Coordinates of all heavy atoms in Angstrom, one line a residue:
V1 N 8.6 20.7 -25.7 CA 8.5 19.3 -25.2 C 9.7 18.9 -24.4 O 9.6 18.2 -23.4 CB 8.3 18.4 -26.4 CG1 8.4 16.9 -25.9 CG2 6.9 18.6 -27.0
V2 N 10.9 19.4 -24.8 CA 12.1 19.0 -24.1 C 12.2 19.8 -22.7 O 12.6 19.2 -21.7 CB 13.4 19.4 -24.9 CG1 14.6 19.4 -24.1 CG2 13.5 18.6 -26.1
I3 N 11.6 20.9 -22.6 CA 11.5 21.6 -21.3 C 10.7 20.7 -20.3 O 11.0 20.5 -19.2 CB 11.0 23.0 -21.5 CG1 12.0 23.9 -22.1 CG2 10.6 23.6 -20.1 CD1 11.4 25.2 -22.6
V4 N 9.5 20.2 -20.9 CA 8.6 19.4 -20.1 C 9.4 18.1 -19.7 O 9.4 17.6 -18.5 CB 7.3 19.0 -20.9 CG1 6.6 17.9 -20.1 CG2 6.5 20.2 -21.1
A5 N 10.1 17.5 -20.7 CA 10.9 16.3 -20.4 C 12.0 16.6 -19.3 O 12.3 15.7 -18.5 CB 11.6 15.8 -21.7
W6 N 12.6 17.8 -19.4 CA 13.6 18.1 -18.4 C 12.9 18.1 -16.9 O 13.6 17.5 -16.0 CB 14.2 19.4 -18.7 CG 15.3 19.9 -17.8 CD1 16.6 19.4 -17.8 CD2 15.2 20.9 -16.7 NE1 17.3 20.1 -16.7 CE2 16.5 21.0 -16.2 CE3 14.2 21.7 -16.4 CZ2 16.7 21.9 -15.1 CZ3 14.5 22.6 -15.3 CH2 15.7 22.7 -14.7
I7 N 11.8 18.8 -16.9 CA 11.1 18.8 -15.5 C 10.7 17.4 -15.1 O 10.9 17.0 -13.9 CB 9.9 19.8 -15.6 CG1 10.4 21.2 -15.9 CG2 9.1 19.7 -14.4 CD1 9.3 22.2 -16.3
V8 N 10.1 16.7 -16.0 CA 9.6 15.3 -15.6 C 10.8 14.5 -15.3 O 10.8 13.6 -14.3 CB 8.8 14.7 -16.7 CG1 8.5 13.2 -16.5 CG2 7.5 15.4 -17.0
G9 N 11.9 14.5 -16.1 CA 13.1 13.7 -15.8 C 13.8 14.0 -14.5 O 14.3 13.1 -13.9
I10 N 13.8 15.3 -14.0 CA 14.4 15.6 -12.8 C 13.7 14.8 -11.6 O 14.3 14.3 -10.7 CB 14.4 17.1 -12.5 CG1 15.4 17.8 -13.5 CG2 14.7 17.4 -11.1 CD1 15.3 19.3 -13.4
F11 N 12.4 14.7 -11.7 CA 11.6 14.1 -10.7 C 11.5 12.5 -10.9 O 11.5 11.8 -9.9 CB 10.2 14.7 -10.6 CG 10.2 16.0 -10.0 CD1 10.2 17.2 -10.9 CD2 10.4 16.3 -8.7 CE1 10.2 18.4 -10.4 CE2 10.4 17.6 -8.2 CZ 10.3 18.6 -9.0
A12 N 11.3 12.1 -12.1 CA 11.1 10.7 -12.4 C 12.3 9.9 -12.7 O 12.4 8.7 -12.7 CB 10.1 10.6 -13.5
G13 N 13.5 10.6 -13.2 CA 14.6 9.9 -13.5 C 14.6 9.2 -14.9 O 15.4 8.4 -15.2
R14 N 13.6 9.6 -15.7 CA 13.5 9.1 -17.1 C 12.6 10.0 -17.9 O 11.8 10.7 -17.3 CB 13.1 7.6 -17.1 CG 11.6 7.4 -16.9 CD 11.2 5.9 -16.7 NE 11.6 5.0 -17.9 CZ 10.9 4.9 -19.0 NH1 9.7 5.5 -19.0 NH2 11.2 4.2 -19.9
V15 N 12.7 9.9 -19.2 CA 11.8 10.6 -20.1 C 10.7 9.8 -20.4 O 10.9 8.6 -20.8 CB 12.6 11.1 -21.3 CG1 11.6 11.7 -22.4 CG2 13.7 12.1 -21.0
P16 N 9.4 10.3 -20.4 CA 8.2 9.4 -20.8 C 8.3 8.9 -22.2 O 8.9 9.6 -23.1 CB 7.1 10.4 -20.5 CG 7.5 11.4 -19.6 CD 9.0 11.6 -19.9
D17 N 7.8 7.8 -22.4 CA 7.9 7.1 -23.8 C 7.3 8.0 -24.9 O 8.0 8.2 -25.9 CB 7.0 5.8 -23.7 CG 7.7 4.8 -22.9 OD1 8.8 5.0 -22.3 OD2 7.1 3.6 -22.8
G18 N 6.2 8.7 -24.7 CA 5.6 9.5 -25.7 C 6.5 10.7 -26.1 O 6.7 11.0 -27.2
I19 N 7.1 11.3 -25.1 CA 7.9 12.5 -25.3 C 9.2 11.9 -26.0 O 9.7 12.6 -27.0 CB 8.3 13.2 -24.1 CG1 7.0 13.9 -23.5 CG2 9.5 14.1 -24.2 CD1 7.2 14.6 -22.2
H20 N 9.8 10.8 -25.5 CA 10.9 10.3 -26.2 C 10.7 10.0 -27.7 O 11.5 10.3 -28.5 CB 11.3 9.0 -25.5 CG 12.6 8.4 -25.9 ND1 12.7 7.6 -27.0 CD2 13.9 8.4 -25.4 CE1 13.9 7.1 -27.2 NE2 14.7 7.7 -26.3
G21 N 9.6 9.4 -28.0 CA 9.2 9.0 -29.4 C 9.1 10.3 -30.3 O 9.6 10.3 -31.4
F22 N 8.5 11.3 -29.7 CA 8.3 12.6 -30.5 C 9.6 13.3 -30.8 O 9.9 13.7 -31.9 CB 7.4 13.5 -29.6 CG 7.1 14.8 -30.4 CD1 6.3 15.0 -31.4 CD2 7.7 16.0 -29.9 CE1 6.1 16.2 -32.1 CE2 7.5 17.3 -30.4 CZ 6.7 17.3 -31.6
V23 N 10.5 13.4 -29.7 CA 11.8 14.0 -29.9 C 12.7 13.2 -30.8 O 13.4 13.7 -31.6 CB 12.4 14.3 -28.5 CG1 13.8 14.8 -28.7 CG2 11.5 15.2 -27.8
A24 N 12.6 11.9 -30.6 CA 13.5 10.9 -31.4 C 13.1 11.0 -32.9 O 14.0 11.1 -33.8 CB 13.3 9.5 -30.9
S25 N 11.8 11.2 -33.2 CA 11.4 11.4 -34.6 C 12.0 12.6 -35.2 O 12.5 12.7 -36.4 CB 9.9 11.3 -34.8 OG 9.4 10.1 -34.4
Y26 N 12.0 13.7 -34.4 CA 12.6 14.9 -34.8 C 14.0 14.9 -35.1 O 14.5 15.3 -36.1 CB 12.3 16.1 -33.8 CG 12.9 17.3 -34.1 CD1 12.4 18.1 -35.2 CD2 14.0 17.8 -33.5 CE1 13.1 19.4 -35.5 CE2 14.7 19.0 -33.8 CZ 14.2 19.8 -34.8 OH 14.8 20.9 -35.1
V27 N 14.8 14.3 -34.1 CA 16.2 14.1 -34.4 C 16.6 13.3 -35.6 O 17.5 13.5 -36.4 CB 16.9 13.5 -33.1 CG1 18.4 13.3 -33.3 CG2 16.7 14.5 -31.9
R28 N 15.8 12.2 -35.7 CA 16.0 11.4 -36.9 C 15.7 12.2 -38.2 O 16.4 12.1 -39.2 CB 15.0 10.1 -36.9 CG 15.3 9.1 -38.0 CD 14.4 7.9 -38.0 NE 14.6 7.2 -36.7 CZ 13.8 7.1 -35.7 NH1 12.6 7.8 -35.8 NH2 14.0 6.4 -34.7
F29 N 14.6 12.9 -38.2 CA 14.2 13.8 -39.4 C 15.3 14.8 -39.7 O 15.8 14.9 -40.8 CB 12.9 14.5 -39.1 CG 12.6 15.5 -40.1 CD1 12.2 15.2 -41.4 CD2 12.8 16.9 -39.8 CE1 11.9 16.2 -42.3 CE2 12.4 17.9 -40.7 CZ 12.1 17.6 -42.0
T30 N 15.9 15.5 -38.7 CA 16.9 16.4 -39.0 C 18.2 15.8 -39.4 O 18.9 16.4 -40.3 CB 17.2 17.3 -37.7 OG1 17.5 16.5 -36.6 CG2 16.0 18.2 -37.4
T31 N 18.5 14.5 -39.0 CA 19.6 13.8 -39.5 C 19.4 13.5 -41.0 O 20.3 13.6 -41.8 CB 19.8 12.5 -38.7 OG1 20.1 12.8 -37.4 CG2 21.0 11.7 -39.3
H32 N 18.1 13.1 -41.4 CA 17.9 12.8 -42.8 C 18.0 14.1 -43.6 O 18.6 14.1 -44.7 CB 16.4 12.3 -42.9 CG 16.2 11.0 -42.3 ND1 14.9 10.5 -42.1 CD2 17.0 10.1 -41.7 CE1 14.9 9.4 -41.5 NE2 16.2 9.0 -41.2
V33 N 17.5 15.2 -43.1 CA 17.6 16.5 -43.8 C 19.1 16.9 -44.0 O 19.5 17.3 -45.1 CB 16.9 17.6 -43.1 CG1 17.1 19.0 -43.7 CG2 15.4 17.3 -43.1
N34 N 19.8 16.8 -42.9 CA 21.2 17.1 -43.0 C 22.0 16.2 -44.1 O 22.9 16.7 -44.8 CB 21.9 17.1 -41.7 CG 21.6 18.2 -40.8 OD1 21.3 19.3 -41.3 ND2 21.4 18.1 -39.5
A35 N 21.6 14.9 -44.0 CA 22.2 14.0 -45.0 C 21.9 14.3 -46.4 O 22.8 14.3 -47.3 CB 21.8 12.6 -44.7
Y36 N 20.6 14.7 -46.6 CA 20.2 15.1 -48.0 C 20.9 16.3 -48.4 O 21.5 16.5 -49.5 CB 18.7 15.3 -48.0 CG 18.2 15.7 -49.3 CD1 18.1 14.8 -50.4 CD2 17.7 17.0 -49.5 CE1 17.6 15.2 -51.6 CE2 17.2 17.5 -50.7 CZ 17.2 16.6 -51.8 OH 16.7 16.9 -53.1
F37 N 20.8 17.4 -47.6 CA 21.4 18.7 -47.9 C 23.0 18.6 -48.2 O 23.5 19.2 -49.1 CB 21.1 19.7 -46.8 CG 21.7 21.0 -47.1 CD1 21.3 21.9 -48.1 CD2 22.8 21.5 -46.4 CE1 21.9 23.1 -48.4 CE2 23.4 22.7 -46.6 CZ 23.0 23.6 -47.6
S38 N 23.6 17.8 -47.4 CA 25.1 17.7 -47.4 C 25.5 16.7 -48.6 O 26.7 16.6 -48.8 CB 25.6 17.2 -46.2 OG 25.3 15.9 -45.9
I39 N 24.5 16.1 -49.2 CA 24.8 15.1 -50.3 C 25.4 13.8 -49.9 O 25.9 13.1 -50.5 CB 25.6 15.8 -51.5 CG1 25.0 17.2 -51.8 CG2 25.6 14.9 -52.7 CD1 25.8 17.9 -52.8
A40 N 25.2 13.6 -48.5 CA 25.6 12.3 -48.0 C 24.6 11.3 -48.3 O 24.8 10.0 -48.2 CB 25.7 12.4 -46.5
A41 N 23.4 11.7 -48.8 CA 22.4 10.8 -49.3 C 21.6 11.3 -50.4 O 21.7 12.7 -50.6 CB 21.4 10.5 -48.2
N42 N 20.9 10.6 -51.2 CA 20.4 11.2 -52.5 C 18.8 11.3 -52.5 O 18.3 12.3 -52.9 CB 20.7 10.3 -53.7 CG 20.5 11.0 -55.0 OD1 20.9 12.0 -55.2 ND2 19.6 10.3 -55.8
P43 N 18.1 10.4 -51.9 CA 16.6 10.5 -52.0 C 16.1 11.6 -51.2 O 16.6 12.0 -50.1 CB 16.1 9.1 -51.5 CG 17.2 8.3 -51.2 CD 18.4 9.1 -51.3
Y44 N 14.9 12.1 -51.6 CA 14.3 13.2 -50.8 C 13.7 12.6 -49.5 O 13.0 11.6 -49.6 CB 13.2 13.8 -51.6 CG 12.9 15.3 -51.2 CD1 13.7 16.4 -51.5 CD2 11.7 15.5 -50.4 CE1 13.4 17.6 -51.1 CE2 11.4 16.8 -50.1 CZ 12.2 17.9 -50.3 OH 11.9 19.1 -49.9
P45 N 14.0 13.2 -48.4 CA 13.5 12.6 -47.1 C 12.1 12.8 -46.9 O 11.4 13.7 -47.5 CB 14.3 13.4 -46.0 CG 15.4 14.2 -46.7 CD 14.9 14.4 -48.2
S46 N 11.5 11.9 -46.2 CA 10.1 12.0 -45.7 C 10.0 13.1 -44.7 O 10.9 13.3 -43.9 CB 9.6 10.7 -45.1 OG 8.8 10.8 -44.1
F47 N 8.9 13.7 -44.6 CA 8.6 14.8 -43.6 C 8.3 14.2 -42.2 O 8.1 15.0 -41.3 CB 7.6 15.8 -44.0 CG 8.0 16.8 -45.1 CD1 8.1 16.3 -46.4 CD2 8.4 18.0 -44.8 CE1 8.5 17.2 -47.4 CE2 8.9 18.9 -45.7 CZ 9.0 18.5 -47.0
S48 N 8.2 12.9 -42.1 CA 7.8 12.3 -40.8 C 8.9 11.9 -39.9 O 8.7 11.6 -38.8 CB 6.9 11.1 -41.2 OG 7.6 10.1 -41.8

C-alpha cells in the first residue's frame, strides 16, 4: 500500500484518505504492540 501511496503522492502531492487511514491504523497498532512488549503499558492491545 505504501508503494501505491508513493506513486500516487508523487503525482498528486498527497496520500489518499483511505490509504492514509489504513497505514495509520497499522502504525498505531505496532506502537501499541511495542508498548505492551516493552512493558510501557499493561493491557493486551486490540488487533485492530
Side-chain angles (χ1 to χ4, degrees):
V1 169
V2 168
I3 291 169
V4 173
W6 182 76
I7 294 167
V8 172
I10 289 170
F11 291 99
R14 74 188 305 273
V15 174
D17 293 358
I19 290 177
H20 184 278
F22 179 74
V23 176
S25 293
Y26 173 74
V27 174
R28 187 180 299 108
F29 169 73
T30 56
T31 301
H32 297 171
V33 172
N34 286 330
Y36 177 74
F37 177 70
S38 68
I39 313 176
N42 193 57
Y44 202 76
S46 141
F47 283 82
S48 67

